[in-house]
Every structure is written in C-alpha cells, then in structure tokens.
Amino acid sequence: TGSGFNFDSLAADVSVNVLSAVFKKYEYRNLLVNGRLQQKQFSGKVSINDKNLEFNYEGRLSFDPKTPNYVFTLDLKGADLKALNLTEQELRVSALIQSDIHGRSDKNFTGKASIKNALIVRDNKKYPLDSLVFISEFKEGSSRISLRSEIMTADFKGDIIMNQLPSALKQLVNNYFRMEDPSAASHTDAQKFTFEIKLLDASLLTKNLVPELKSLSPFSLKGGFDTRAKKLELKADVPQV
C-alpha cells in the first residue's frame, strides 16, 4: 500500500514474499521483505532462506545523497559464492555486520561499522576473522578515519572524500602515465590528508587467502596525499617479503 508516484515523495508499506528470482543464472528462493519506503528511505526487515544463501537484515537505509544514513544489522548466516555464480573458486562466508553511519552529504560521514565473527571457507579450509571495525569522524571541515582488526590498523586524517578517492588517485597517476584523456576524467574535489597503515599479522594472507605470497613480515606505511599539489608521499618499512 502507498501513495505518490514520484520517488522523492513516495510513501509505501512494503510486504513481499518472493518464492523464486533469478540472478546470474542462479534461482534464489524464499526472500521476504517487510518495511516502509518513505522519502527516499527504507526501514524494515529483509531475510532469505535459500540453500546457498541465508541472512536476516533489519535497519534503515537512506537513498537521499544529501542525508545518507546506513543504520542496520545484517546477520549473514552463510553464503556459498561459487554456488551463487558469484565466483569461480570454492568460497563460503558468514559474518555479523553492523552499521551506524550518518552523513550530511554523500561526501562526509560519521559513525561506526563493524564486521564480527566472520568466517571464510576456501577449499574446505576455515579462516576466522574475529572483528573489523571502521570509525569515521567529521569535525570542522576535517575527517578522521580509522580501521581496526587483528590483522591490520589504518588511520587517515585531513580533508578526505572517500567516495572520490579512487578517482583522485587515478587522476594523480594519469599526470605521469597518460592512461586516459584528461577531459574524460570525472570531477573530484580537493583532498589533502595524511595516513598510516600497519600490518600486524600477515598469517591470514600468507597461509590462507594468498598462499602464493610465501613470506611477509609485519610492516608499516606512512604518507600524505595532496590533490592540489599533485603529490603522493609514501614511506614504507617492510622488513621482509
């Protein structure tokens, strides 16, 4: 039920039971959606109980780029990515994902997101990941972003626009190695920040996810990025690769 045909003003209660749906040549079954769609925001619950994918979602998502909000809990009980035709490798995952992130625009966010009790199963070998926490703060025109896990830590501080960062780095590389016509590059705002990344435990990478990497010691990377100066500074301390 609902009213309005314009997405900006659409208000509707949503209750959907999808018995079957096909994506990438895989037939998903038993998808339930219950909630409300109003003013570019969905609040409600979504669950699926398929033999190769099972999860429960509850929360609120805002699709308005002026006030994006991602407040939800996703309990991914299990996903067989190969069976779902999403990867060619034998790969299954499960995790508890929680997010409480708010934004005043699509560029700057504050809040916290975490992945807990994650388990990756590759070729019948289990690789647990206890937790991964992402924290973002935006105050007085400056951002502070941190990432924490038992594998690595990362800290970024300054004028950071996360959704434009890949394009900004691509433009920087393009200044030295002409990879595309500059006129075709997407517009990015000025960014200037410092960063520090530390690898604490390389065993998950070397023994599990990237076995081709025979040996890798804990290392640190420090540096800065300035789009106006077209400069990327990097200092690495890598004892052994």
Side-chain angles (χ1 to χ4, degrees):
T1 61
S3 60
F5 297 94
N6 188 315
F7 183 68
D8 291 346
S9 60
L10 177 66
D13 293 319
V14 180
S15 181
V16 180
N17 183 359
V18 181
L19 298 179
S20 175
V22 177
F23 177 71
K24 280 188 171 290
K25 299 181 180 181
Y26 179 83
E27 185 178 12
Y28 292 81
R29 294 184 177 275
N30 306 318
L31 173 65
L32 298 175
V33 181
N34 288 285
R36 182 165 180 81
L37 185 62
Q38 186 171 11
Q39 296 179 341
K40 297 183 179 181
Q41 179 173 281
F42 172 77
S43 299
K45 299 179 179 181
V46 181
S47 65
I48 188 169
N49 187 9
D50 182 271
K51 64 180 181 179
N52 291 307
L53 175 63
E54 183 179 359
F55 70 75
N56 293 310
Y57 162 92
E58 183 174 2
R60 182 177 74 253
L61 294 176
S62 172
F63 306 101
D64 189 343
K66 295 181 180 179
T67 57
N69 289 281
Y70 310 98
V71 182
F72 64 85
T73 296
L74 173 62
D75 186 2
L76 177 59
K77 297 182 180 298
D80 188 330
L81 302 186
K82 183 178 181 180
L84 298 173
N85 297 325
L86 299 177
T87 179
E88 295 182 355
Q89 295 180 327
E90 294 282 353
L91 192 63
R92 288 172 286 153
V93 297
S94 62
L96 177 64
I97 304 172
Q98 295 176 305
S99 174
D100 187 5
I101 295 179
H102 308 265
R104 288 180 290 180
S105 70
D106 61 350
K107 301 176 182 177
N108 300 307
F109 299 89
T110 60
K112 178 180 179 180
S114 65
I115 301 175
K116 299 179 181 179
N117 302 324
L119 179 64
I120 301 172
V121 181
R122 179 181 178 183
D123 297 327
N124 292 321
K125 294 182 180 179
K126 297 181 179 180
Y127 310 120
L129 177 62
D130 182 54
S131 67
L132 178 66
V133 179
F134 170 87
I135 300 174
S136 176
E137 297 177 300
F138 181 75
K139 295 180 181 179
E140 300 177 353
S142 180
S143 296
R144 182 187 294 269
I145 297 172
S146 64
L147 184 69
R148 295 289 182 269
S149 77
E150 67 263 39
I151 299 174
M152 64 172 292
T153 66
D155 293 280
F156 302 81
K157 184 179 179 181
D159 297 326
I160 312 167
I161 304 174
M162 291 299 294
N163 65 344
Q164 293 185 10
L165 188 54
S167 296
L169 288 169
K170 186 177 180 180
Q171 289 179 24
L172 177 67
V173 174
N174 200 50
N175 290 325
Y176 302 96
F177 306 97
R178 188 59 57 89
M179 302 174 64
E180 66 177 6
D181 185 348
S183 62
S186 58
H187 170 75
T188 58
D189 297 317
Q191 301 194 54
K192 183 179 181 180
F193 60 87
T194 59
F195 61 85
E196 182 175 7
I197 301 171
K198 294 181 179 180
L199 180 65
L200 305 177
D201 183 358
S203 61
L204 180 64
L205 299 176
T206 57
K207 295 181 180 180
N208 304 326
L209 299 181
V210 191
E212 296 82 6
L213 193 59
K214 300 299 183 182
S215 177
L216 180 63
S217 298
F219 65 81
S220 65
L221 298 174
K222 295 182 180 180
F225 182 52
D226 188 338
T227 57
R228 284 199 175 111
K230 298 180 180 179
K231 181 170 63 175
L232 173 63
E233 297 179 338
L234 185 63
K235 180 181 179 181
D237 182 8
V238 185
Q240 180 184 5
V241 178

